[in-house]
Amino acid sequence: MDQLGRFALLLGVILATYGMVAAAVGARTRRPALVDSARRTSFVLLACVLTANVAMVIALLQNDFAIRYVAENSSLETPVFFKVLSLWAADDGSLLLWNLILSGYITAVALRFRKYRPVTFPYALAVLNAVQIFYLILVNGPSRPFQTLANPPADGVGPPALLQNHPLMAVHPPFLYLGFIGFTVPFAFGIAGLLVGGGSDHWAALTRRWTLMVWCFLSVGLLLGALWSYSVLGWGGYWAWDPVENVALLPWLVSTAFLHSVMLQERRGIARLWNVVLVIGAFALTTFGTFLTRGAVLSSVHTFSQTGVGPAYLGFLALVLVVGFGLVAWRLPTLRSPAKIDSAISREAAFVGNNVLLLVVTGIILLGTTFPLVVEAITNRQVTVGGPYFQQSLAPVFLLLLILVAGAPLLPWRVANKTSALRRLRLPGAVGGVTVIVLALAGIRDVYAIAGFALAAAVAVGNGAEIATGLMAARRGVDRSWWTALRNGRRRYAGLAVHIGLAIVVVGIAWSSTFALQTEVTLKQGQSTVFAGYTLRYTALRNVKEPQRQVLTTQVAVTDSAGTRLGPLHPSLNLYPSNSEPIGTPSIRHGVFKDLYSSVIGLEQNGKSATFRFFVNPGVTWIWVGGAIMVLFGLLAALPARRRRKGSDSADTTKPADDSRPLVETGAN
């Protein structure tokens, strides 16, 4: 398996190099056959990288401890499920998966443009292959996943404890990778648009759907990461402003800005420069985040502790910034938009404000994440930037963003009649005002919580009303049915539904942050405590020996304020041979309005006494519900438009379906 893996990776470098050169030369010399050869090479490249990944999985399943990676990240006792997950247990293996996903994206682009070939396609294919070359060089050089040992051990160390402590690790990292790596596609087409020159508008329309899909993948990754933190780490929360969490959030924010401003470029020809800067920035942020997590710069439960690829990532990041913004400077005269924003009270102005605020949020998070690193590099002193900095500095900006999310969809394009615009904003404004009054009368005094609830209500009502108004107008017009109206306006209505999902997430965050309760108590077996209306009694300890770990599971009987006995909680401590400290697993009783959350943090006297943390977390369920709504309707908006058969009076099926209107490609230099 090690020989097969090494050969496949080496062949992959050769194929990616050929693909890059053939695509670039074919575009430059106008030789379509050479470009098509590069396109077909992407399928062979995918097969090579897939072979390397399969070879590693087989080695893990067969306990081939002659391979260093297998010896360090698997063991005889590791269950099959977690052996497969060991592929991304450490940096060397995760780079195999990274290369596989990247080659998958290249293949998807090659398939999408197998017939329709925009002038930006060959250059984009060359850029995609260039990025692939970098990551393949990593696994052939600084990182060697198939390196063998002269004296193989009889048994391996086993995967990291956190990897095998919850099945969410089967999906959380892959979705994050799908999101991070996916930004290579819009970046490649952005660079291609700069190289071509005349395709500067076209590349944005081509990549809008790609960016939206990647945004959905990264949203799922962030959501699963929050759920993993909540369900596994036992601290009672879902977002700790950990630096690695932060760097995953940064490209999500920038891509959200792009998805809004690309509509300005499509509709009005505005924000050409802005959009190309955003896609370069999003890709640079993914590279920067990868450097922090893989370059042994940060210390976190999310990072890889042993890696030698840090300098390579730093050099690649510098190359991305120099090439990307160098091309922007070169094409600056052609990127200036002839159109202007006609009115401050218009959807264009609201989108620009939305972009500015999203970048302010990005800057605040980036500053808080990198400040300790800069201080340590300069003064050799360690400082920390914790949750209070992020919460206090970001809360006002997020509230301003919610105002725009509530009002922007209700504003018309171009010049707006002030009286008409204010009339359309009355409903969400009134709902927000009533919410403030009701919450104040209910005794809530937290200003940010009141503002968050009120603006979330305004967002939900404003966007919901816009959906209802559009559907009713469609029924009175040509469509005559809600279903036809929904199908024809799918992209717009799905976007409005994403805003409603965001409002639900905001409610869950404000609710859980403001009204959560917690206590820490030590109980002997048979002893009980009263907390938040619940009677909690420590009843038993069960010791279970599993193949890869020892599990110490406590049982806590739960009785509510009415005296009704509820199902017991079972928080546990897990002991892994490869880990010196026990890893806790919380037990959560999920509810529509609140969760009863328990974790055990210590056992004394052979389990006759235990120390517990109990939490009552209201509204957390609605974070997952709102996030799921955002992702589902984001995917709905990203689906391609249905192509009609030839002979109908619709657009020709040979035209691209990546935009809501036909695209014209001039090919001018």
Side-chain angles (χ1 to χ4, degrees):
M1 288 300 106
D2 61 296
Q3 294 176 11
L4 177 62
R6 285 198 297 268
F7 174 77
L9 293 176
L10 183 60
L11 182 58
V13 174
I14 297 171
L15 291 169
T17 303
Y18 173 79
M20 178 189 69
V21 174
V25 172
R28 191 66 182 171
T29 59
R30 300 184 181 276
R31 295 167 62 185
L34 200 55
V35 174
D36 194 60
S37 173
R39 188 187 70 84
R40 294 176 183 276
T41 300
S42 63
F43 305 127
V44 188
L45 174 62
L46 175 62
C48 283
V49 181
L50 178 62
T51 299
N53 278 264
V54 171
M56 180 58 76
V57 171
I58 291 174
L60 288 164
L61 293 175
Q62 292 183 342
N63 299 315
D64 188 355
F65 299 126
I67 297 177
R68 178 182 55 81
Y69 184 84
V70 177
E72 293 177 354
N73 296 282
S74 186
S75 69
L76 295 173
E77 300 299 329
T78 302
V80 171
F81 178 76
F82 292 109
K83 282 183 179 180
V84 175
L85 267 58
S86 296
L87 178 64
W88 51 85
D91 187 50
D92 294 351
S94 70
L95 275 172
L96 287 176
L97 179 62
W98 192 283
N99 274 284
L100 177 62
I101 294 174
L102 179 55
S103 62
Y105 273 115
I106 297 175
T107 303
V109 170
L111 286 171
R112 168 63 186 86
F113 297 108
R114 62 190 180 277
K115 294 181 180 178
Y116 169 66
R117 303 282 176 82
V119 71
T120 49
F121 168 70
Y123 291 106
L125 188 60
V127 174
L128 287 166
N129 276 283
V131 176
Q132 181 86 73
I133 290 169
F134 167 72
Y135 284 105
L136 283 171
I137 287 175
L138 288 183
V139 290
N140 280 282
S143 168
R144 294 182 178 271
F146 290 100
Q147 181 179 349
T148 55
L149 298 172
N151 298 302
D155 196 0
V157 177
L162 284 173
L163 180 79
Q164 49 184 330
N165 204 49
H166 200 282
L168 268 177
M169 288 304 289
V171 288
H172 168 47
F175 270 104
L176 275 182
Y177 290 0
L178 283 168
F180 261 54
I181 303 165
F183 284 113
T184 312
V185 177
F187 169 76
F189 276 95
I191 295 297
L194 291 171
L195 291 171
V196 170
S200 58
D201 278 338
H202 192 72
W203 75 265
L206 281 173
T207 57
R208 177 191 59 80
R209 179 169 290 115
W210 291 93
T211 308
L212 186 52
M213 288 294 296
V214 171
W215 180 89
C216 290
F217 288 143
L218 187 54
S219 298
V220 173
L222 292 170
L223 196 65
L224 290 175
L227 182 60
W228 178 80
S229 182
Y230 187 67
S231 304
V232 175
L233 297 184
W235 63 288
Y238 43 81
W239 193 269
W241 296 107
D242 180 280
V244 180
E245 294 175 336
N246 296 346
V247 296
L249 183 60
L250 293 175
W252 185 90
L253 292 166
V254 175
S255 62
T256 303
F258 172 76
L259 289 172
H260 286 82
S261 64
V262 73
M263 289 187 275
L264 299 178
Q265 187 169 346
E266 290 181 18
R267 194 176 183 100
R268 296 287 313 281
I270 301 174
R272 287 177 176 175
L273 174 61
W274 187 261
N275 284 329
V276 74
V277 168
L278 286 178
V279 295
I280 294 172
F283 183 73
L285 285 171
T286 62
T287 307
F288 176 68
T290 310
F291 161 67
L292 290 184
T293 55
R294 297 174 184 273
V297 178
L298 296 175
S299 177
S300 165
V301 296
H302 305 80
T303 57
F304 298 106
S305 58
Q306 295 180 353
T307 177
V309 298
Y313 276 110
L314 196 57
F316 183 64
L317 174 61
L319 181 64
V320 167
L321 294 174
V322 169
V323 171
F325 291 110
L327 288 173
V328 169
W330 176 44
R331 291 294 190 185
L332 193 58
T334 65
L335 293 174
R336 292 194 176 96
S337 303
K340 303 294 181 183
I341 295 176
D342 301 313
S343 172
I345 306 178
S346 64
R347 197 173 300 179
E348 296 97 315
F351 280 1
V352 170
N354 167 82
N355 271 236
V356 170
L357 291 175
L358 283 170
L359 292 188
V360 169
V361 171
T362 303
I364 291 172
I365 296 175
L366 186 61
L367 176 63
T369 304
T370 57
F371 179 75
L373 305 178
V374 174
V375 170
E376 185 175 0
I378 295 174
T379 67
N380 203 28
R381 247 182 347 107
Q382 289 189 344
V383 297
T384 57
V385 176
Y389 159 79
F390 294 103
Q391 293 158 8
Q392 293 169 17
S393 57
L394 290 175
V397 187
F398 275 127
L399 293 177
L400 290 173
L401 264 172
L402 288 175
I403 293 174
L404 291 178
V405 175
L410 307 180
L411 295 174
W413 294 98
R414 303 180 71 90
V415 180
N417 180 289
K418 291 185 179 181
T419 304
S420 175
L422 291 174
R423 187 183 303 117
R424 300 192 73 187
L425 296 173
R426 280 188 304 186
L427 178 60
V431 170
V434 169
T435 304
V436 170
I437 294 171
V438 170
L439 294 175
L441 291 175
I444 298 175
R445 295 293 178 263
D446 190 304
V447 175
Y448 284 139
I450 292 176
F453 283 122
L455 290 173
V459 169
V461 170
N463 285 267
E466 189 67 8
I467 294 174
T469 301
L471 293 179
M472 287 188 290
R475 286 202 68 184
R476 293 193 298 266
V478 178
D479 292 333
R480 297 295 182 186
S481 74
W482 286 345
W483 175 249
T484 305
L486 281 171
R487 186 179 60 196
N488 293 340
R490 172 175 53 83
R491 177 179 165 188
R492 171 167 169 73
Y493 294 132
L496 295 170
V498 169
H499 291 167
I500 295 174
L502 174 64
I504 296 173
V505 171
V506 171
V507 168
I509 293 173
W511 198 352
S512 60
S513 301
T514 307
F515 301 105
L517 301 172
Q518 77 173 80
T519 188
E520 183 176 316
V521 61
T522 299
L523 300 175
K524 295 181 179 179
Q525 284 193 20
Q527 190 176 5
S528 62
T529 185
V530 177
F531 167 63
Y534 295 99
T535 301
L536 307 164
R537 185 165 59 92
Y538 175 33
T539 58
L541 173 70
R542 188 161 51 104
N543 188 343
V544 177
K545 176 63 176 171
E546 296 181 359
Q548 84 282 18
R549 64 180 182 179
Q550 184 177 0
V551 182
L552 304 174
T553 304
T554 62
Q555 179 169 298
V556 179
V558 181
T559 306
D560 66 14
S561 57
T564 304
R565 296 193 64 177
L566 307 177
L569 298 170
H570 297 96
S572 63
L573 290 176
N574 308 298
L575 307 174
Y576 294 90
S578 60
N579 212 62
S580 58
E581 297 292 330
I583 303 294
T585 298
S587 179
I588 308 170
R589 182 180 179 83
H590 296 280
V592 175
F593 299 110
K594 63 182 178 180
D595 292 351
L596 178 59
Y597 185 110
S598 64
S599 61
V600 56
I601 58 176
L603 295 170
E604 299 85 28
Q605 300 175 354
N606 293 323
K608 294 180 180 179
S609 175
T611 301
F612 298 93
R613 284 200 188 107
F614 295 111
F615 303 81
V616 169
N617 294 327
V620 173
T621 297
W622 295 100
I623 297 175
W624 321 130
V625 171
I629 290 173
M630 292 176 67
V631 171
L632 290 175
F633 281 97
L635 291 172
L636 182 63
L639 291 176
R642 187 179 64 174
R643 297 186 180 187
R644 301 182 189 177
R645 290 173 295 188
K646 289 184 179 181
S648 68
D649 57 357
S650 64
D652 188 358
T653 56
T654 60
K655 295 219 177 151
D658 280 83
D659 192 12
S660 57
R661 54 188 171 84
L663 300 169
V664 179
E665 189 75 72
T666 63
N669 244 329

